[in-house]
Amino acid sequence: MMVAFRRASVLLVLFLEAFLPPPQCAQDPAMVHYIYQRFHVLEQGLEKCTQATRAYIQDFREFSKNISVMLGRCQTYTNEYKNAVNNLALRVERAQREIDYLEYLREADVCLESEDKTLAEKLLQEAEEEKKIQTLLNASCDNMLMGIKSLKIVKKTMDTDGSWMKDATSNSPKVYFLIGSRNNTVWEFANMQAFMEDSTKTVPRKLILTLSWQGTGQVIYKGFLFFHNQGTSNEIIKYNLQKRTVEDRMLLPGGAGRALVYQHSPSTYIDLAVDEHGLWAIHSGPGIHGHLVLTKIEPSTLGVEHSWDTPCRSQDAEASFLLCGVLYVVYSSGGQGPHRITCVYDPRRTIREEDLPNLFFPRRPRSHSMIHYNPRDKQLYAWNEGNQIIYKLQTKRKLPVE
């Protein structure tokens, strides 16, 4: 750079000598000397700048070298750290697999113990349940239905729906007549003969209840009338006929009263029944035409003693009754004959399916409004198209289950 500057200075001097006039006074040498001095100062400044630039370049080279060395070291450290981290990750993964395996073994042992415990508890619960059922249904009744022998039309009325009955436990000859599926008037006849005769000859006793019933599932048990309270979905009323007051009431659980209990009985949502074992309730389970639910009720306290989900469906059903703790469901196609029992449910499992005969009712044109069994006279009381009917039954002793 300095060589180039000197060359430029010489050329400048030659240029000035060529164009400047020849020196004629003493000022010309002074001017040239001044110019040389200024150029000399410029040369010194440029020399310092060059030296400083060289120093900066050297420092930058040293810095770059140091940076390169440090970056190399960082790369080495990075690789070392990366390898260490990878090794640590592998060790953690291996340890996690071992922990998972140990946890699996522990859970497997716990599951086996839990399954054994659950199975044992289930078996114990089933045994206790079976014992409870045997104790609950321990009445000396071992008969099963073999056929419907005959029918007797006791009375004819113009009412298509209703129920009639005797007290299932009393020796009283009184007959109770309940007309319609929604009413609060009970007619009490002195005996069957009075019931069969024209009401103008023998005037029945008129009992007006403080509440109305719903459907045709009423029963009289130990002097009390049990019925589904109208306007409620699942309330059962225990009514004292002598005092004409409500003795007690209960709410039947299990979704009772939400659907018709029988497809061909369009007003009955809860059907009550009586047999040798006591008081029962039948209602439909959840869903359209669901399965029937059988509930044993303690009549004194109106407490639920036990409930069973039966395989019998409400679809095409028209009525049901219980005999010796066994549920018999009557079905018909389209609400017309033939009327037959095609579903039998025994909570004690003492009846085998192969022991059951074909159970048909005598031909009737329409479905039954109600069919109730009376354990005292061993007959069925039924209502069919305004006709009050008695069906005589044929039974036999149950065969012992092996």
Side-chain angles (χ1 to χ4, degrees):
M1 181 179 292
M2 292 301 298
V3 174
F5 182 75
R6 289 193 182 99
R7 291 179 180 176
S9 300
V10 173
L11 291 175
L12 180 61
V13 171
L14 293 176
F15 174 79
L16 292 174
E17 288 179 353
F19 288 95
L20 287 175
Q24 295 180 357
C25 60
Q27 292 179 352
D28 295 336
M31 179 62 70
V32 172
H33 180 70
Y34 174 74
I35 291 172
Y36 271 111
Q37 285 183 342
R38 298 304 301 169
F39 274 108
H40 183 66
V41 171
L42 289 173
E43 288 179 352
Q44 291 179 347
L46 289 174
E47 180 68 25
K48 291 181 180 180
C49 182
T50 301
Q51 292 178 355
T53 302
R54 288 176 179 173
Y56 291 150
I57 292 173
Q58 185 65 29
D59 292 342
F60 182 74
R61 288 175 178 173
E62 292 293 334
F63 177 74
S64 299
K65 184 178 179 181
N66 293 334
I67 291 297
S68 298
V69 173
M70 293 176 67
L71 288 176
R73 292 177 180 175
C74 287
Q75 185 66 31
T76 302
Y77 293 153
T78 300
N79 293 334
E80 292 178 357
Y81 293 152
K82 185 177 180 180
N83 293 333
V85 170
N86 290 336
N87 291 333
L88 181 60
L90 291 175
R91 294 176 63 184
V92 170
E93 183 179 359
R94 189 181 301 114
Q96 186 63 46
R97 287 200 301 268
E98 293 177 355
I99 292 174
D100 292 341
Y101 178 70
L102 294 175
E103 185 68 19
Y104 167 76
L105 293 178
R106 188 185 69 83
E107 290 181 354
D109 293 338
V110 172
C111 288
L112 289 175
E113 293 176 0
S114 178
E115 289 178 359
D116 293 340
K117 184 178 179 181
T118 303
L119 181 59
E121 291 177 351
K122 184 178 180 180
L123 293 175
L124 180 60
Q125 183 178 1
E126 290 178 353
E128 292 178 351
E129 191 78 9
E130 187 68 22
K131 183 179 179 181
K132 180 181 178 181
I133 293 173
Q134 296 295 335
T135 303
L136 184 64
L137 306 179
N138 63 352
S140 57
C141 180
D142 55 358
N143 291 331
M144 60 182 292
L145 182 63
M146 296 303 295
I148 295 95
K149 292 194 301 183
S150 62
L151 68 85
K152 178 181 179 181
I153 298 178
V154 178
K155 192 180 185 69
K156 292 184 179 182
T157 64
M158 300 299 294
D159 303 287
T160 57
D161 294 321
S163 62
W164 72 290
M165 67 210 71
K166 289 183 177 181
D167 192 325
T169 59
S170 172
N171 292 324
S172 171
K174 293 180 180 179
V175 176
Y176 297 88
F177 192 52
L178 290 76
I179 302 174
S181 59
R182 292 177 177 85
N183 205 340
N184 69 334
T185 302
V186 178
W187 298 94
E188 181 185 275
F189 292 83
N191 49 46
M192 186 65 71
Q193 185 64 33
F195 177 70
M196 296 171 63
E197 292 177 350
D198 190 348
S199 59
T200 58
K201 296 181 180 180
T202 305
V203 179
R205 180 187 179 196
K206 186 178 180 180
L207 306 175
I208 299 179
L209 312 181
T210 57
L211 296 173
S212 297
W213 65 75
Q214 163 76 37
T216 58
Q218 305 83 22
V219 295
I220 293 182
Y221 186 73
K222 295 183 178 180
F224 295 96
L225 173 66
F226 295 83
F227 62 90
H228 178 198
N229 188 16
Q230 181 184 352
T232 68
S233 62
N234 62 339
E235 186 176 48
I236 305 300
I237 299 296
K238 179 182 179 181
Y239 198 88
N240 191 320
L241 292 175
Q242 300 301 320
K243 298 179 180 179
R244 300 189 187 186
T245 58
V246 175
E247 189 79 11
D248 203 351
R249 62 184 71 202
M250 70 170 294
L251 296 178
L252 193 63
R258 297 179 183 176
L260 292 173
V261 61
Y262 313 117
Q263 182 183 359
H264 299 311
S265 184
S267 61
T268 303
Y269 289 82
I270 298 175
D271 191 13
L272 299 173
V274 174
D275 73 345
E276 292 81 358
H277 295 290
L279 182 63
W280 303 79
I282 305 105
H283 68 87
S284 179
I288 301 176
H289 305 317
H291 294 273
L292 299 183
V293 178
L294 179 63
T295 301
K296 184 71 174 62
I297 300 176
E298 211 293 312
S300 299
T301 62
L302 289 188
V304 173
E305 294 183 295
H306 203 281
S307 288
W308 296 266
D309 293 324
T310 77
C312 304
R313 298 184 65 87
S314 66
Q315 184 177 8
D316 289 330
E318 61 181 68
S320 71
F321 60 91
L322 282 109
L323 189 156
C324 287
V326 178
L327 177 68
Y328 297 87
V329 185
V330 183
Y331 293 88
S332 60
S333 178
Q336 301 180 4
H339 312 281
R340 54 187 178 180
I341 297 172
T342 57
C343 186
V344 176
Y345 178 71
D346 181 9
R348 298 176 62 188
R349 298 188 293 273
T350 57
I351 295 181
R352 296 175 298 189
E353 186 174 355
E354 56 269 22
D355 296 333
L356 294 172
N358 293 323
L359 299 172
F360 289 88
F361 280 78
R363 181 174 293 276
R364 300 297 300 169
R366 300 296 180 199
S367 62
H368 293 83
S369 173
M370 55 80 68
I371 300 176
H372 283 168
Y373 172 70
N374 189 303
R376 185 163 56 90
D377 55 24
K378 312 297 182 184
Q379 298 181 131
L380 294 180
Y381 290 69
W383 189 302
N384 184 282
E385 263 203 319
N387 297 315
Q388 288 73 55
I389 302 171
I390 288 179
Y391 290 107
K392 294 187 179 297
L393 305 178
Q394 179 183 0
T395 61
K396 76 169 188 177
R397 294 176 64 89
K398 299 176 185 177
L399 297 176
V401 179
E402 298 179 358

